[in-house]
Amino acid sequence: MPAPAPVTAPTATPADPTSTPTPREYEFLFAADDARESAPMTSLPWPDARAVAARAAVPLPPADQELGEALGQVLAAPLVALTDLPSFDTSAMDGWAVAGPGPWRLPAAQEGPGVLAGADHGGAPPLRDGHAVRIATGAPVPPGTTAVLRSEHGEVTGPDAPHPELHATRRLSQGQDIRPRGQECRHGDQLLPQGTVVTPAVLGLAAAAGYDRLHVTRRPRAEVLVLGDELLREGLPHGGRIRDALGPMLGPWLTALGAEVTVIRRLGDDADALRSALAGSTADVVVTTGGTAAGPVDHVHAILRGLDAELLVDGVAVRPGHPMLLARLAPGRHLVGLPGNPLAAVAGLLTLAEPLLRTLSARPSPALYRAALTDAVKGHPDDTRLVPVVSRHSDSAEPLRFHGPAMLRGLAAADALAVIPPGGAARGARAGILELPWAAAGA
């Protein structure tokens, strides 16, 4: 592929170097970033690269996890009720359990508080017609109960009499406010199918249905290797060095994609350290940042060749993120090589790491949708472009500025990326939308 043509800077200079670029100035800055993003000799179309990543692996073996550890994982077997829900006839309200038509005779006050939730009332005598007893929400209804009268719908006369009377202030129907045994499910019913993502509600249902542990697909173990001698871990940029933006970002992002991040290591541009780290890793997925192009300290390709890794994707026709790659290090072990520029790295993450991790963890495919762009988006002549947008699950998407390969300002305000086809998209055109994981989760 010929080298990108040089980009001529605009002749006008902003009066204030700290000011926000004008749209024309910004387009020149954006084009310059594109020209500096080295591209491999071969590139897969963006949809094809995602498909290759999704097919590169198979789901990991299942494991039994404590309920508290299973959140976000995927059921490896259907969730089947281990008991009836509820497991006995229970009161849906605080009030009185009544038998037959009223008014009803109540026990004397000294005979106790009535039927309480959690108390074992097995073997309790049936409630006789014309009698009532206090009952709490969730308590088992006594045998012979025909309905539960809510506290706010009853009046007691002669509360100090030996046998007070209960009168209903509203019409009461048979079975009212009683949750019958098995109303929600019966023992053996399938509650959820295999492949369901374990949400907080799923955990609650599993606990109610009698589970202490869940059979789920194991989380992929991911290791992050941050490359680049120019990266600082703290403080302000100085002396030609810049802050590492990817180290703090990738761990939480991979976790949101379903991975268990075991370690984040910073290796600089040391080829021997990278070779040793890859040879000794036992992670399901290794994610590297930088070093995927053809610069003097870009060692990833050479080290993969030395390790006899199988290169599955070597460059993708997408901007930013052109020099991303996917390799199989060994059976069941993969490497995703991300470009070093922050937004380009995110493009690689969503293009290659997300489909790979989704397959490994058996997570369902995200629900992609299309939305109308509120403004035109400049495109690359040959490549797909990923542009941060604000969509908020609506039918429109607002493209954000500051979406050059090295920029995160636009992404930080975004909830999705718009997939812009080669050539660009006009205002009002409907573009594919990739929701960011926290936006898809409703955060």
Side-chain angles (χ1 to χ4, degrees):
M1 181 177 291
V7 176
T8 304
T11 55
T13 302
D16 178 3
T18 65
S19 66
T20 300
T22 67
R24 176 169 171 76
E25 291 162 351
Y26 181 73
E27 286 300 334
F28 275 100
L29 293 173
F30 190 22
D33 264 337
D34 263 358
R36 287 191 289 268
E37 192 178 32
S38 300
M41 293 301 293
T42 58
S43 300
L44 277 179
W46 183 76
D48 294 353
R50 282 175 57 84
V52 168
R55 294 194 304 264
V58 296
L60 292 168
D64 288 337
Q65 294 276 6
E66 299 285 345
L67 289 185
E69 302 298 322
L71 183 66
Q73 293 174 259
V74 174
L75 293 179
L79 188 73
V80 176
L82 303 180
T83 181
D84 297 342
L85 281 182
S87 55
F88 48 82
D89 293 349
T90 182
S91 175
M93 292 287 173
D94 291 334
W96 296 270
V98 301
W104 302 272
R105 177 178 292 190
L106 291 169
Q110 65 268 23
E111 293 187 29
V115 186
L116 302 179
D120 184 1
H121 294 279
L127 195 61
R128 292 181 295 159
D129 273 357
H131 287 71
V133 64
R134 266 283 182 188
I135 194 167
T137 301
V141 298
T145 300
T146 55
V148 168
L149 178 66
R150 301 184 186 191
S151 297
E152 61 268 29
H153 297 164
E155 288 183 353
V156 177
T157 59
D160 298 324
H163 292 288
E165 276 195 342
L166 172 66
H167 298 262
T169 59
R170 292 195 182 181
R171 184 176 178 275
L172 190 64
S173 58
Q174 180 84 13
Q176 185 169 318
D177 287 325
I178 295 176
R179 292 189 62 214
R181 176 174 181 164
Q183 181 186 51
E184 187 169 2
C185 66
R186 288 292 185 180
H187 178 272
D189 285 353
Q190 179 175 310
L191 304 177
L192 294 169
Q194 178 178 339
T196 301
V197 177
V198 178
T199 63
V202 171
L203 291 178
L205 176 61
Y211 285 84
D212 299 316
R213 303 169 68 86
L214 287 176
H215 197 56
V216 293
T217 301
R218 178 172 69 79
R219 289 183 186 274
R221 292 187 296 269
E223 184 174 339
V224 179
L225 304 179
V226 180
L227 313 181
D229 288 338
E230 76 279 13
L231 301 177
L232 295 168
R233 297 185 63 174
E234 58 185 15
L236 295 174
H238 63 271
R241 303 183 70 191
I242 60 174
R243 281 294 298 272
D244 169 25
L246 295 178
M249 180 172 68
L250 287 182
W253 204 311
L254 290 167
T255 299
L257 293 177
E260 175 190 343
V261 180
T262 58
V263 66
I264 299 175
R265 300 172 62 187
R266 291 167 174 83
L267 302 182
D269 288 316
D270 188 328
D272 290 337
L274 177 58
R275 184 181 298 105
S276 176
L278 294 182
S281 174
T282 59
D284 302 300
V285 178
V286 179
V287 177
T288 61
T289 70
T292 57
V297 291
D298 290 337
H299 304 301
V300 173
H301 280 89
I303 290 172
L304 290 176
R305 287 193 297 270
L307 295 174
D308 292 326
E310 179 185 0
L311 207 53
L312 304 176
V313 176
D314 188 11
V316 178
V318 66
R319 301 296 175 114
H322 216 145
M324 65 181 74
L325 63 85
L326 171 64
R328 182 175 289 117
L329 298 172
R333 294 183 51 240
H334 293 81
L335 177 140
V336 176
L338 305 178
N341 276 327
L343 187 57
V346 169
L349 197 65
L350 295 180
T351 301
L352 298 178
E354 187 275 330
L356 177 66
L357 291 170
R358 181 183 354 120
T359 296
L360 288 169
S361 58
R363 294 167 75 91
S365 298
L368 300 181
Y369 65 95
R370 304 183 77 82
L373 297 171
T374 62
D375 204 352
V377 178
K378 178 182 176 182
H380 187 276
D382 306 307
D383 297 349
T384 299
R385 186 179 291 288
L386 301 180
V387 176
V389 296
V390 174
S391 181
R392 308 293 184 218
H393 308 278
S394 71
D395 192 48
S396 65
E398 176 189 355
L400 299 172
R401 297 173 63 191
F402 303 102
H403 51 249
M407 299 179 178
L408 287 176
R409 182 171 171 182
L411 184 68
D415 60 7
L417 294 179
V419 182
I420 306 300
R427 179 178 181 178
R430 300 188 71 80
I433 301 297
L434 282 176
E435 284 190 314
L436 301 180
W438 40 91

